[in-house]
Amino acid sequence: MIQTAVTKMLGIAHPILGGTMMSITDARFTAAISNAGGLGILASAIYKTREDFAAAVDEVQQLTDKPFAVNINLFPAMTAIDNNIYLDVMIEKGVRVVETSGHSAPEDLCGRFKSAGMTWIHKCVGIRYAQKAETLGADIITVVGYENGGATGKLDIGTLVLVPSVVDAVKVPVIGGGGVSDGRGLLAVLALGAGAVIMGSRLLVTRECPIHENLKKALMNATELETRLIMRSIGATHRVWDNAAAQKCAKIEAEGGDFNEVISVVAGDKARHMYATGDLDAGVISCGQGIGLVHDIPTVADLFNRIVAQAEAAGKRIGLTG
Protein backbone atom coordinates (compact mmCIF):
# COMPACT_ATOMS: atom_id res chain seq x y z
CA MET A 1 0.00 0.00 0.00
CA ILE A 2 1.24 3.48 -0.90
CA GLN A 3 0.01 6.23 1.41
CA THR A 4 0.64 9.94 0.83
CA ALA A 5 -0.67 13.28 2.03
CA VAL A 6 -3.31 13.09 -0.71
CA THR A 7 -4.55 9.59 0.14
CA LYS A 8 -4.82 10.59 3.79
CA MET A 9 -6.63 13.84 2.98
CA LEU A 10 -9.13 12.08 0.71
CA GLY A 11 -9.43 8.87 2.71
CA ILE A 12 -8.58 6.57 -0.22
CA ALA A 13 -6.56 3.35 -0.29
CA HIS A 14 -4.54 4.06 -3.45
CA PRO A 15 -2.99 7.31 -4.71
CA ILE A 16 -5.06 7.14 -7.90
CA LEU A 17 -7.90 9.38 -9.10
CA GLY A 18 -10.13 8.62 -12.05
CA GLY A 19 -10.13 11.49 -14.51
CA THR A 20 -13.53 13.00 -15.23
CA MET A 21 -14.70 12.05 -18.72
CA MET A 22 -17.82 13.58 -20.26
CA SER A 23 -20.61 11.08 -20.97
CA ILE A 24 -18.45 8.31 -19.48
CA THR A 25 -17.81 8.98 -15.79
CA ASP A 26 -21.38 8.33 -14.72
CA ALA A 27 -22.60 7.11 -11.35
CA ARG A 28 -21.77 3.44 -11.86
CA PHE A 29 -18.28 4.07 -13.22
CA THR A 30 -17.56 6.60 -10.47
CA ALA A 31 -18.56 4.07 -7.83
CA ALA A 32 -16.45 1.34 -9.45
CA ILE A 33 -13.35 3.55 -9.27
CA SER A 34 -14.02 4.41 -5.62
CA ASN A 35 -14.77 0.80 -4.70
CA ALA A 36 -11.41 -0.16 -6.25
CA GLY A 37 -9.62 2.09 -3.76
CA GLY A 38 -9.18 5.21 -5.87
CA LEU A 39 -11.24 8.38 -6.01
CA GLY A 40 -14.07 8.28 -8.53
CA ILE A 41 -15.15 11.69 -9.78
CA LEU A 42 -18.70 12.06 -11.09
CA ALA A 43 -19.04 14.31 -14.16
CA SER A 44 -21.82 16.72 -13.19
CA ALA A 45 -21.99 18.12 -16.73
CA ILE A 46 -23.53 14.86 -17.94
CA TYR A 47 -26.73 15.81 -16.13
CA LYS A 48 -28.81 18.69 -17.48
CA THR A 49 -31.41 18.99 -14.72
CA ARG A 50 -31.23 19.22 -10.95
CA GLU A 51 -33.34 16.08 -10.66
CA ASP A 52 -31.13 13.97 -12.90
CA PHE A 53 -27.98 15.10 -11.13
CA ALA A 54 -29.48 14.45 -7.69
CA ALA A 55 -30.47 10.95 -8.81
CA ALA A 56 -26.90 10.32 -10.01
CA VAL A 57 -25.42 11.39 -6.66
CA ASP A 58 -27.92 9.12 -4.90
CA GLU A 59 -26.87 6.24 -7.13
CA VAL A 60 -23.18 6.72 -6.36
CA GLN A 61 -23.95 6.78 -2.64
CA GLN A 62 -25.99 3.59 -2.97
CA LEU A 63 -23.21 1.80 -4.87
CA THR A 64 -20.26 2.75 -2.67
CA ASP A 65 -19.51 3.73 0.89
CA LYS A 66 -16.05 4.91 -0.16
CA PRO A 67 -15.05 8.54 -0.80
CA PHE A 68 -15.95 10.03 -4.18
CA ALA A 69 -15.94 13.50 -5.69
CA VAL A 70 -18.05 15.52 -8.09
CA ASN A 71 -16.51 17.52 -10.90
CA ILE A 72 -17.84 21.00 -11.63
CA ASN A 73 -16.97 21.92 -15.19
CA LEU A 74 -15.98 25.56 -15.71
CA PHE A 75 -15.33 25.30 -19.45
CA PRO A 76 -17.76 27.05 -21.80
CA ALA A 77 -20.61 24.72 -22.79
CA MET A 78 -23.27 24.72 -25.46
CA THR A 79 -25.87 23.83 -22.85
CA ALA A 80 -25.28 23.97 -19.12
CA ILE A 81 -27.10 24.67 -15.91
CA ASP A 82 -25.94 27.09 -13.24
CA ASN A 83 -23.13 25.40 -11.30
CA ASN A 84 -24.71 26.72 -8.12
CA ILE A 85 -27.55 24.28 -8.76
CA TYR A 86 -25.10 21.37 -8.85
CA LEU A 87 -23.52 22.72 -5.68
CA ASP A 88 -26.88 23.01 -3.94
CA VAL A 89 -27.46 19.31 -4.57
CA MET A 90 -23.94 18.37 -3.45
CA ILE A 91 -24.38 20.19 -0.16
CA GLU A 92 -27.83 18.68 0.33
CA LYS A 93 -26.49 15.16 -0.32
CA GLY A 94 -23.37 15.57 1.83
CA VAL A 95 -20.76 15.29 -0.95
CA ARG A 96 -17.41 15.82 0.75
CA VAL A 97 -15.02 16.34 -2.19
CA VAL A 98 -15.39 18.69 -5.16
CA GLU A 99 -13.15 18.96 -8.21
CA THR A 100 -13.26 22.01 -10.45
CA SER A 101 -11.71 22.24 -13.90
CA GLY A 102 -11.70 24.98 -16.50
CA HIS A 103 -10.08 28.13 -17.79
CA SER A 104 -10.11 29.87 -14.38
CA ALA A 105 -10.76 29.12 -10.73
CA PRO A 106 -14.37 29.56 -9.57
CA GLU A 107 -14.16 32.67 -7.42
CA ASP A 108 -17.95 32.76 -7.14
CA LEU A 109 -18.16 29.19 -5.80
CA CYS A 110 -15.10 28.63 -3.63
CA GLY A 111 -16.61 30.37 -0.60
CA ARG A 112 -19.50 27.92 -0.68
CA PHE A 113 -17.07 24.96 -0.90
CA LYS A 114 -15.32 26.10 2.23
CA SER A 115 -18.53 26.91 4.13
CA ALA A 116 -19.79 23.40 3.37
CA GLY A 117 -16.56 21.84 4.65
CA MET A 118 -15.72 20.29 1.28
CA THR A 119 -12.21 19.32 0.23
CA TRP A 120 -11.64 21.34 -2.94
CA ILE A 121 -9.42 20.02 -5.74
CA HIS A 122 -8.75 22.43 -8.61
CA LYS A 123 -7.47 21.08 -11.92
CA CYS A 124 -5.47 23.52 -14.04
CA VAL A 125 -2.67 23.74 -16.61
CA GLY A 126 0.15 25.79 -15.12
CA ILE A 127 1.82 27.56 -12.23
CA ARG A 128 -0.04 30.86 -12.20
CA TYR A 129 -3.41 29.13 -12.36
CA ALA A 130 -2.38 26.82 -9.52
CA GLN A 131 -1.21 29.72 -7.39
CA LYS A 132 -4.45 31.61 -8.01
CA ALA A 133 -6.52 28.64 -6.90
CA GLU A 134 -4.34 28.23 -3.82
CA THR A 135 -4.99 31.84 -2.81
CA LEU A 136 -8.73 31.16 -3.16
CA GLY A 137 -8.50 28.23 -0.77
CA ALA A 138 -7.99 25.14 -2.93
CA ASP A 139 -6.90 22.22 -0.76
CA ILE A 140 -5.25 20.24 -3.58
CA ILE A 141 -4.05 21.20 -7.06
CA THR A 142 -4.19 18.83 -10.04
CA VAL A 143 -2.09 19.34 -13.17
CA VAL A 144 -1.75 17.09 -16.20
CA GLY A 145 0.99 17.27 -18.80
CA TYR A 146 0.71 17.67 -22.53
CA GLU A 147 0.57 13.90 -23.07
CA ASN A 148 -2.89 13.75 -21.56
CA GLY A 149 -6.18 13.05 -23.28
CA GLY A 150 -8.85 15.72 -23.45
CA ALA A 151 -8.22 19.41 -22.87
CA THR A 152 -4.49 20.16 -23.02
CA GLY A 153 -4.60 23.92 -22.39
CA LYS A 154 -2.39 26.40 -24.19
CA LEU A 155 0.99 25.89 -22.52
CA ASP A 156 2.02 22.56 -24.09
CA ILE A 157 4.21 21.50 -21.14
CA GLY A 158 4.98 17.83 -20.58
CA THR A 159 4.33 15.96 -17.35
CA LEU A 160 8.00 15.67 -16.36
CA VAL A 161 8.34 19.45 -16.25
CA LEU A 162 4.83 20.59 -15.32
CA VAL A 163 4.33 18.48 -12.19
CA PRO A 164 7.54 19.43 -10.32
CA SER A 165 7.19 23.06 -11.41
CA VAL A 166 3.78 23.26 -9.76
CA VAL A 167 4.93 21.24 -6.73
CA ASP A 168 7.65 23.85 -6.18
CA ALA A 169 5.26 26.77 -6.70
CA VAL A 170 2.48 25.91 -4.22
CA LYS A 171 2.28 24.78 -0.61
CA VAL A 172 -0.75 22.51 -0.95
CA PRO A 173 -0.51 18.88 -2.14
CA VAL A 174 -0.41 18.24 -5.89
CA ILE A 175 -1.94 15.50 -8.03
CA GLY A 176 -0.19 14.88 -11.35
CA GLY A 177 -1.03 13.10 -14.55
CA GLY A 178 -0.64 12.99 -18.30
CA GLY A 179 0.48 9.81 -20.05
CA VAL A 180 0.25 7.58 -16.97
CA SER A 181 -1.07 4.07 -17.62
CA ASP A 182 0.84 1.78 -15.24
CA GLY A 183 2.81 1.54 -12.03
CA ARG A 184 5.97 2.94 -13.55
CA GLY A 185 4.07 6.10 -14.36
CA LEU A 186 2.62 6.26 -10.85
CA LEU A 187 6.08 5.94 -9.30
CA ALA A 188 7.44 8.61 -11.65
CA VAL A 189 4.68 11.09 -10.74
CA LEU A 190 5.23 10.45 -7.03
CA ALA A 191 8.97 10.96 -7.56
CA LEU A 192 8.20 14.34 -9.15
CA GLY A 193 6.66 15.40 -5.85
CA ALA A 194 2.97 14.73 -6.41
CA GLY A 195 0.89 12.92 -3.82
CA ALA A 196 -1.25 10.98 -6.30
CA VAL A 197 -1.84 10.39 -9.98
CA ILE A 198 -4.92 11.11 -12.07
CA MET A 199 -5.62 8.91 -15.08
CA GLY A 200 -8.35 8.76 -17.66
CA SER A 201 -7.26 7.04 -20.85
CA ARG A 202 -6.19 3.84 -19.08
CA LEU A 203 -9.58 3.62 -17.40
CA LEU A 204 -11.35 3.70 -20.76
CA VAL A 205 -10.09 0.16 -21.29
CA THR A 206 -11.57 -1.47 -18.21
CA ARG A 207 -14.52 -3.82 -17.86
CA GLU A 208 -16.67 -1.30 -15.99
CA CYS A 209 -16.14 1.60 -18.39
CA PRO A 210 -19.49 2.29 -20.10
CA ILE A 211 -18.28 2.36 -23.69
CA HIS A 212 -18.78 -0.28 -26.41
CA GLU A 213 -16.48 -3.31 -26.44
CA ASN A 214 -15.48 -2.52 -30.04
CA LEU A 215 -14.12 0.81 -28.89
CA LYS A 216 -12.31 -0.70 -25.92
CA LYS A 217 -10.62 -3.24 -28.18
CA ALA A 218 -9.63 -0.57 -30.69
CA LEU A 219 -8.07 1.54 -27.96
CA MET A 220 -6.34 -1.51 -26.47
CA ASN A 221 -4.66 -2.07 -29.83
CA ALA A 222 -3.74 1.60 -30.39
CA THR A 223 -0.16 2.83 -30.11
CA GLU A 224 1.32 5.95 -28.59
CA LEU A 225 1.35 7.43 -32.11
CA GLU A 226 -2.42 7.21 -32.54
CA THR A 227 -3.56 10.46 -30.94
CA ARG A 228 -3.81 13.93 -32.40
CA LEU A 229 -4.59 17.47 -31.29
CA ILE A 230 -7.78 19.07 -32.58
CA MET A 231 -9.92 22.14 -31.84
CA ARG A 232 -6.92 24.45 -31.38
CA SER A 233 -8.38 26.80 -34.00
CA ILE A 234 -11.36 27.47 -31.73
CA GLY A 235 -9.31 27.87 -28.56
CA ALA A 236 -10.22 24.50 -27.06
CA THR A 237 -7.31 22.19 -27.87
CA HIS A 238 -8.03 18.53 -27.14
CA ARG A 239 -5.96 15.39 -27.57
CA VAL A 240 -8.10 12.61 -29.01
CA TRP A 241 -7.83 9.18 -30.54
CA ASP A 242 -6.81 9.53 -34.18
CA ASN A 243 -9.85 8.05 -35.89
CA ALA A 244 -11.63 9.21 -39.03
CA ALA A 245 -13.69 11.81 -37.17
CA ALA A 246 -10.57 13.34 -35.63
CA GLN A 247 -8.90 13.43 -39.04
CA LYS A 248 -11.98 15.11 -40.53
CA CYS A 249 -11.89 17.75 -37.80
CA ALA A 250 -8.19 18.39 -38.39
CA LYS A 251 -8.83 18.80 -42.12
CA ILE A 252 -11.64 21.31 -41.50
CA GLU A 253 -9.34 23.33 -39.25
CA ALA A 254 -6.44 23.22 -41.73
CA GLU A 255 -8.77 24.58 -44.41
CA GLY A 256 -9.93 27.46 -42.23
CA GLY A 257 -13.29 26.03 -41.18
CA ASP A 258 -15.32 27.99 -38.66
CA PHE A 259 -16.54 27.11 -35.17
CA ASN A 260 -19.78 25.53 -36.35
CA GLU A 261 -18.00 23.28 -38.85
CA VAL A 262 -15.63 22.03 -36.15
CA ILE A 263 -18.42 21.46 -33.64
CA SER A 264 -20.44 19.54 -36.21
CA VAL A 265 -17.74 16.83 -36.09
CA VAL A 266 -16.91 16.80 -32.39
CA ALA A 267 -20.45 17.21 -31.00
CA GLY A 268 -21.22 15.20 -27.90
CA ASP A 269 -24.14 13.37 -29.46
CA LYS A 270 -21.81 11.84 -32.05
CA ALA A 271 -19.39 10.70 -29.36
CA ARG A 272 -22.24 9.17 -27.37
CA HIS A 273 -23.38 7.32 -30.50
CA MET A 274 -19.88 5.86 -30.83
CA TYR A 275 -19.81 4.84 -27.16
CA ALA A 276 -23.20 3.14 -27.43
CA THR A 277 -22.94 1.42 -30.81
CA GLY A 278 -19.24 0.81 -31.37
CA ASP A 279 -19.26 2.79 -34.62
CA LEU A 280 -15.58 3.70 -34.35
CA ASP A 281 -15.64 6.70 -36.65
CA ALA A 282 -18.89 8.31 -35.56
CA GLY A 283 -17.32 10.83 -33.18
CA VAL A 284 -14.18 11.72 -31.27
CA ILE A 285 -13.00 10.41 -27.90
CA SER A 286 -10.43 12.09 -25.67
CA CYS A 287 -7.36 9.87 -25.42
CA GLY A 288 -3.80 10.43 -24.20
CA GLN A 289 -0.49 9.12 -25.49
CA GLY A 290 -0.39 6.62 -22.61
CA ILE A 291 -2.93 4.53 -24.53
CA GLY A 292 0.07 2.89 -26.20
CA LEU A 293 0.84 1.18 -22.88
CA VAL A 294 -2.60 -0.44 -22.65
CA HIS A 295 -2.76 -4.13 -23.58
CA ASP A 296 -5.71 -5.68 -21.74
CA ILE A 297 -9.19 -5.01 -20.34
CA PRO A 298 -9.08 -5.66 -16.57
CA THR A 299 -11.52 -4.70 -13.86
CA VAL A 300 -10.76 -1.37 -12.25
CA ALA A 301 -9.87 -3.12 -8.97
CA ASP A 302 -7.44 -5.49 -10.69
CA LEU A 303 -5.91 -2.57 -12.58
CA PHE A 304 -5.34 -0.48 -9.45
CA ASN A 305 -3.87 -3.39 -7.51
CA ARG A 306 -1.53 -4.12 -10.41
CA ILE A 307 -0.49 -0.48 -10.76
CA VAL A 308 0.39 -0.20 -7.07
CA ALA A 309 2.31 -3.50 -7.17
CA GLN A 310 4.20 -2.35 -10.27
CA ALA A 311 5.10 0.93 -8.60
CA GLU A 312 6.38 -0.84 -5.50
CA ALA A 313 8.37 -3.33 -7.60
CA ALA A 314 9.85 -0.54 -9.71
CA GLY A 315 10.90 1.29 -6.56
CA LYS A 316 12.66 -1.82 -5.26
CA ARG A 317 14.32 -2.44 -8.61
CA ILE A 318 16.02 0.95 -8.58
CA GLY A 319 16.70 0.88 -4.85
CA LEU A 320 14.12 3.45 -3.76
CA THR A 321 12.27 1.09 -1.40
CA GLY A 322 13.23 -1.79 0.83
Side-chain angles (χ1 to χ4, degrees), residues 103 106 141 303 317:
H103 293 318
I141 298 296
L303 175 64
R317 186 177 67 249

Side-chain angles (χ1 to χ4, degrees), residues 4 6-7 10 12 14-21 25 30 33-34 37-41 67-69 97-99 119 121-123 140-142 144 174-177 180 186 195-203 300 304 307:
T4 69
V6 170
T7 61
L10 298 176
I12 56 178
H14 302 313
I16 305 171
L17 284 75
T20 307
M21 295 178 282
T25 316
T30 297
I33 293 166
S34 290
L39 186 77
I41 307 176
F68 72 96
V97 184
V98 59
E99 179 197 61
T119 299
I121 306 169
H122 184 64
K123 186 178 182 182
I140 304 173
I141 298 296
T142 296
V144 292
V174 172
I175 296 163
V180 177
L186 169 59
V197 69
I198 188 167
M199 58 174 61
S201 300
R202 181 60 186 94
L203 287 168
V300 178
F304 285 1
I307 286 173

Side-chain angles (χ1 to χ4, degrees), residues 5 8 15 20 49 68 78 107 110 114 121 137 155 160 168 175 187 221 257 273-274 278-279 283 287 295:
K8 293 173 184 175
T20 307
T49 69
F68 72 96
M78 299 295 287
E107 297 187 44
C110 57
K114 309 311 288 186
I121 306 169
L155 302 180
L160 280 173
D168 290 347
I175 296 163
L187 182 63
N221 291 315
H273 176 75
M274 175 170 61
D279 180 350
C287 182
H295 306 300

